[in-house]
């Protein structure tokens, strides 16, 4: 029986994501406790609600997830104290359940993510391999033990080019070479022991083989002990024997994940080894005559074909009049035409999906004052980002402030409906900081036509030095009315997208005074006839407009004024917003004039 497990780090921070496991036979292991770099990682990585603050337990055998012991500070010699008995209900009089839970003959630490400083905080010498910073090099293990080694480094994510060059010098000193292989994720094989992790540079001795042979994909999940395995694509149901090899080539939204084989029509499954829903008689897989996308049947191949609410046809294969975009995930089958109320005839837009990508002109603002502060433009390699120092903001803006998007993201963005807003945020604070507390508020706010929408009130909980890619679908279920906190409908989202005046992305995540916040790689999906992409914006409606109206949703009148300008109250709101903004952002002067014209038109 074990009462405590105490782990002490050497000359490195404590690990980020890892699992403490136990076993009686050395073969079957079960978790004692999960550890993560942030509370959000507990949910996304382990699907466990995080336990905030010092670990507490509600049951004798409860397995919790905590970020309490994954903080960056101290940088070296930090300790992790895991009490397996204290704090549990029967700690004073051990129950059989607690005795069983603390029994083990083998203990395993599954290290799944390192905790490291950002590359800009690391210092390496370029002159001699012997001068390399030991805090960096010793984390990879002893180079004298390397024969054919996969070194555990998140090189591309965490280390600068200087670090990679320095590592190459170190490897060269041992008669080996550094191979760039950023798309490969394999296990570490060090001194005969394998540890799973993301490996983005490969070190091998001359003649060393790639870790995964052809027709074998790389399993990128950090929980797999054997990341490389055969694709085993079904020769009948798949187009080829080669599957998606890693997460870099995957597209989860379109059913392309690591290990997925390319299936022929009518076939499904990771290996394309059974019939798709709506098809029968494997290996032939012929259609059932009832479209599973539009059918409400649990099994389309049995019984009469019952159509979803907004679907019709003998095979439930088309939308009813006034509806469009037949979709399997839509409980009603098809979406109602919006068309700003002037038409009920529409179809899915056939334009391909492009992206708005622009890291110039981003400002920092809050939700109270009209003041805006310029951001610092940075270029790190090919990565364009903006940054802001909290000390430059504290005396000018409220405690909650946001990145304000430039004009490329504003205006008529109806064709962004159903797409994604993607961006990456991070920040760092001095290691000696003592006033550090995580903040949480709405991550994304969109304003337009007198409405203000926001994502859920409790936003991302981001740790220092952590880099996070946030993906927000531009669909009603992801937004709420910012003021009333009520769920919105599609009409409200479309009204805002018709004339977006503000797109705000949360900037600050910590109470530390000396924090430096970064934003990079902001992209917004937009359907465009000039885009070059195979994906089509099927979520966007294309309305048949009556005479005098034009636009994908009939949002423009023939006098080239937005249809939404016809309401005086909204026009006055727009005029007030842009009048205040004009003094600090003259770029919007043209839009301000349009608002003034809208107001005059509304009263005429």
């Amino acid at each position: 029986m074990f009462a405590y497990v105490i782990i002490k780090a050497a000359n490195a921070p404590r690990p980020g994501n890892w699992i403490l496991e136990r076993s009686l036979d050395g073969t079957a292991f079960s978790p004692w406790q999960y550890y993560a770099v942030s509370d959000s990682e507990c949910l996304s990585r382990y699907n466990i609600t995080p336990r905030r603050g010092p670990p507490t337990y509600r049951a004798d055998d409860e397995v919790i997830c905590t970020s309490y012991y994954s903080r960056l500070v101290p940088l070296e010699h930090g300790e992790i104290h895991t009490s397996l008995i204290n704090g549990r209900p029967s700690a004073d009089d051990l129950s059989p359940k607690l005795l069983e839970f603390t029994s083990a003959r083998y203990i395993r630490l599954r290290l799944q993510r390192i905790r490291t400083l950002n590359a800009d905080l690391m210092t390496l010498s370029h002159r001699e391999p012997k001068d390399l910073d030991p805090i960096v090099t010793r984390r990879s293990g002893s180079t004298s033990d390397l024969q054919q080694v996969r070194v555990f480094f998140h090189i591309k994510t965490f280390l600068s080019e200087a670090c990679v060059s320095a590592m190459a010098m170190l490897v060269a000193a041992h008669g080996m070479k550094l191979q760039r292989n950023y798309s490969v994720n394999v296990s570490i094989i060090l001194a005969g022991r394998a540890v799973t992790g993301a490996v983005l540079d490969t070190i091998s001795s001359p003649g060393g083989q790639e870790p995964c042979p052809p027709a074998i994909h790389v399993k990128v999940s950090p929980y797999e002990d054997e990341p490389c395995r055969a694709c085993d694509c079904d020769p009948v149901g798949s187009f080829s024997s080669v599957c998606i090899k890693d997460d870099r080539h995957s597209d989860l939204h379109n059913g392309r994940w690591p290990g997925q084989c390319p299936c022929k029509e009518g076939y499904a499954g990771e290996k394309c080894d059974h019939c798709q829903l709506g098809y029968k008689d494997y290996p032939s897989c012929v259609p059932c005559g009832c479209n599973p996308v539009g059918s409400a049947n649990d099994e389309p191949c049995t019984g009469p074909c019952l159509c979803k609410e907004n679907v019709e046809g003998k095979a439930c294969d088309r939308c009813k009049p006034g509806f469009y975009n037949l979709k399997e995930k839509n409980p009603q089958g098809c979406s109602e035409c919006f068309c700003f109320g002037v038409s009920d005839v529409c179809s899915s837009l056939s334009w391909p999906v492009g992206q708005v990508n622009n890291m110039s002109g981003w400002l920092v603002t809050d939700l109270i004052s009209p003041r805006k502060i310029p951001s610092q433009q940075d270029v790190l390699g090919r990565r364009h980002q903006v940054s802001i120092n909290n000390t430059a903001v504290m005396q000018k803006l409220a405690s909650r402030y946001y990145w304000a998007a430039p004009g490329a993201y504003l205006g008529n963005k109806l064709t962004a409906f159903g797409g994604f807003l993607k961006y990456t945020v991070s920040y760092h604070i001095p290691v000696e900081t003592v006033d550090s507390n995580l903040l949480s508020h709405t991550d994304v706010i969109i304003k337009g036509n007198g409405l203000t929408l926001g994502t859920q009130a409790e936003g991302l909980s981001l740790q220092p030095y952590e880099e996070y890619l946030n993906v927000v679908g531009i669909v009603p279920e992801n937004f709420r009315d910012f003021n009333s906190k009520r769920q919105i409908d599609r009409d409200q989202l479309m009204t805002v997208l018709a004339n977006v005046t503000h797109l705000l992305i949360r900037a600050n995540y910590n109470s530390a005074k000396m924090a430096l916040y970064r934003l990079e790689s902001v992209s917004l999906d937009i359907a465009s006839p000039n885009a070059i992409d195979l994906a089509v914006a099927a979520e966007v409606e294309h309305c048949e407009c009556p005479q005098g109206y034009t636009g994908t949703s009939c949002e423009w009148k023939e006098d080239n004024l937005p249809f939404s300008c016809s309401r005086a109250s909204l026009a006055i709101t727009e005029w007030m917003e842009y009048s205040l903004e004009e003094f600090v952002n003259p770029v919007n002067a043209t839009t301000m004039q349009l608002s003034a014209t809208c107001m005059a038109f509304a009263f005429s």
Side-chain angles (χ1 to χ4, degrees):
M1 185 181 76
F2 287 84
Y4 296 93
V5 175
I6 301 175
I7 299 170
K8 184 172 183 178
N11 57 336
R14 292 170 293 186
N17 292 355
W18 63 287
I19 310 172
L20 178 64
E21 297 180 322
R22 64 188 176 96
S23 174
L24 291 173
D25 58 9
T27 302
F29 283 83
S30 57
W32 255 337
Q33 192 155 298
Y34 293 90
Y35 304 80
V37 296
S38 66
D39 291 341
S40 60
E41 288 278 295
C42 286
L43 288 169
S44 62
R45 292 288 185 183
Y46 304 123
N47 197 28
I48 295 178
T49 301
R51 190 61 48 84
R52 298 178 184 272
T56 58
Y57 309 94
R58 298 176 184 143
D60 286 340
D61 58 352
E62 182 183 24
V63 178
I64 68 167
C65 179
T66 177
S67 61
Y68 187 76
Y69 291 111
S70 296
R71 297 172 182 172
L72 188 63
V73 180
L75 290 175
E76 298 181 314
H77 311 301
E79 294 186 351
I80 301 172
H81 293 255
T82 301
S83 174
L84 300 173
I85 295 179
N86 288 346
R88 296 186 183 270
S90 64
D92 297 329
D93 185 13
L94 302 184
S95 67
K97 181 182 291 186
L98 184 56
L99 288 172
E100 192 279 330
F101 182 74
T102 55
S103 298
R105 294 184 63 193
Y106 301 86
I107 297 177
R108 182 168 72 178
L109 279 63
R110 297 188 65 187
L111 305 178
Q112 300 180 322
R113 178 175 176 180
I114 61 175
R115 194 70 160 113
T116 175
L117 289 170
N118 276 5
D120 57 315
L121 299 180
M122 291 184 178
T123 303
L124 288 174
S125 170
H126 298 271
R127 297 183 183 87
E128 297 291 337
K130 63 184 177 63
D131 294 330
L132 292 174
D133 184 351
I135 290 181
V136 175
T137 56
R138 280 196 291 225
R139 288 180 198 160
S140 66
S142 172
T143 54
S144 62
D145 294 333
L146 296 176
Q147 296 179 4
Q148 184 172 337
V149 179
R150 307 292 182 253
V151 179
F152 186 48
F153 266 137
H154 291 260
I155 297 272
K156 190 176 182 183
T157 304
F158 293 110
L159 300 185
S160 67
E161 287 297 320
C163 293
V164 178
S165 300
M167 178 59 76
M169 294 176 63
L170 177 66
V171 173
H174 291 269
M176 306 167 79
K177 64 179 181 178
L178 181 66
Q179 299 177 343
R180 289 299 179 89
N181 194 10
Y182 282 147
S183 64
V184 175
N185 288 263
V186 297
S187 289
I188 313 162
I189 305 172
L190 180 59
R193 294 175 296 173
V195 182
T196 304
V199 182
L200 299 171
D201 267 307
T202 302
I203 297 177
S204 62
S205 57
Q209 300 296 316
E210 288 298 320
C212 292
I216 290 187
H217 82 276
V218 180
K219 194 72 174 179
V220 297
S221 169
Y223 317 116
E224 294 289 338
D225 291 325
E226 300 294 334
C228 298
R229 62 179 176 84
C231 292
D232 290 333
C233 297
D234 186 270
V236 176
S238 61
F239 285 110
S240 74
S241 60
V242 179
C243 58
I244 305 300
K245 63 180 181 179
D246 55 39
D247 61 351
R248 187 179 180 183
H249 297 80
S250 65
D251 184 356
L252 301 183
H253 297 293
N254 293 308
R256 292 167 53 87
W257 54 84
Q260 176 62 48
C261 297
C263 296
K264 298 176 182 177
E265 183 179 357
Y267 295 84
E270 184 177 88
K271 303 181 185 304
C272 310
D273 54 1
H274 60 267
C275 291
Q276 184 180 346
L277 186 66
Y279 292 79
K280 61 181 180 180
D281 299 335
Y282 178 86
S284 301
C285 291
V286 296
C288 299
C290 185
N291 191 332
V293 176
S295 168
N297 298 51
D298 292 333
E299 176 48 66
C301 292
T302 59
C305 196
L306 303 175
C307 296
K308 294 179 180 178
E309 182 180 351
N310 300 332
V311 182
E312 65 180 11
K314 183 178 180 180
C316 301
D317 55 357
R318 66 176 182 268
C319 295
K320 290 180 178 179
F323 299 87
Y324 79 106
N325 189 28
L326 180 60
K327 189 176 181 181
E328 184 176 4
K329 293 182 180 180
N330 188 337
Q332 286 78 42
C334 300
S335 301
E336 186 176 6
C337 298
F338 177 64
C339 304
F340 279 93
V342 301
S343 174
D344 61 358
V345 181
C346 71
S347 58
S348 291
L349 190 66
S350 59
W351 293 352
V353 178
Q355 283 79 37
V356 175
N357 298 281
N358 188 349
M359 294 309 298
S360 300
W362 286 83
L363 304 174
V364 179
T365 186
D366 58 25
L367 304 178
I368 301 174
S369 69
R371 180 176 295 177
K372 289 182 171 63
I373 301 174
S375 60
Q376 177 69 40
Q377 300 285 328
D378 303 315
V379 179
L380 298 177
R382 297 181 181 178
R383 300 167 62 181
H384 293 259
Q385 65 176 18
V386 293
S387 62
I388 191 72
N389 197 315
N390 187 55
T391 55
V393 178
M394 290 175 55
Q395 304 301 322
K396 300 178 181 179
L397 300 178
S399 59
R400 297 181 178 183
Y401 52 91
Y402 288 79
W403 303 103
Y409 297 87
L410 309 180
N412 186 341
K413 290 295 178 282
L414 286 171
T415 60
F417 185 87
F420 294 93
L421 171 66
K422 303 176 184 178
Y423 61 90
T424 300
V425 287
S426 61
Y427 70 97
H428 75 248
I429 59 177
V431 293
E432 67 275 8
T433 299
V434 295
D435 63 340
S436 172
N437 289 299
L438 299 184
L439 304 176
S440 181
H441 48 275
T442 305
D443 287 326
V444 177
I445 296 174
I446 306 177
K447 294 183 179 182
N449 280 329
L451 297 176
T452 301
L453 309 181
T455 51
Q456 60 183 6
E458 185 175 348
L460 173 66
S461 179
L462 188 66
Q463 295 280 353
Y465 312 104
E466 180 182 3
E467 196 172 76
Y468 186 83
L469 170 64
N470 199 15
V471 180
V472 180
I474 310 299
V475 290
E477 49 266 34
N478 287 340
F479 291 89
R480 287 165 175 76
D481 184 286
F482 183 75
N483 298 311
S484 68
K485 309 304 179 186
R486 294 177 181 174
Q487 184 68 44
I488 66 166
D489 56 23
R490 181 165 169 261
D491 291 4
Q492 291 171 291
L493 179 58
M494 293 289 282
T495 300
V496 171
L497 293 178
N499 186 22
V500 177
T501 58
H502 299 78
L503 172 60
L504 306 177
I505 296 176
R506 179 179 160 203
N508 62 325
Y509 295 86
N510 200 294
S511 62
K513 295 180 180 179
M514 301 298 292
L516 177 68
Y517 297 103
R518 297 185 179 95
L519 173 72
E520 66 175 88
S521 305
V522 183
S523 69
L524 177 64
D525 290 346
I526 294 287
S528 170
N530 301 319
I532 302 175
D533 198 295
L534 297 178
V536 175
E539 297 278 354
V540 180
E541 66 178 8
H542 187 198
C543 302
E544 292 187 17
C545 302
Q547 186 175 1
Y549 296 89
T550 186
T552 56
S553 295
C554 307
E555 68 272 18
W556 293 92
K557 289 187 176 182
E558 60 183 3
D559 50 15
N560 292 326
L561 292 176
F563 179 65
S564 54
C565 285
S566 61
R567 285 176 289 177
S569 60
L570 298 187
I572 293 172
T573 301
E574 295 299 324
W575 168 256
M576 292 176 64
E577 288 180 347
Y578 281 107
S579 293
L580 292 171
E581 188 174 301
E582 189 266 343
F583 294 101
V584 292
N585 191 9
V587 175
N588 286 326
T590 302
T591 313
M592 187 183 73
Q593 293 172 3
L594 174 61
S595 295
T597 307
C598 290
M599 185 173 67
F601 173 78
F603 283 113
S604 61

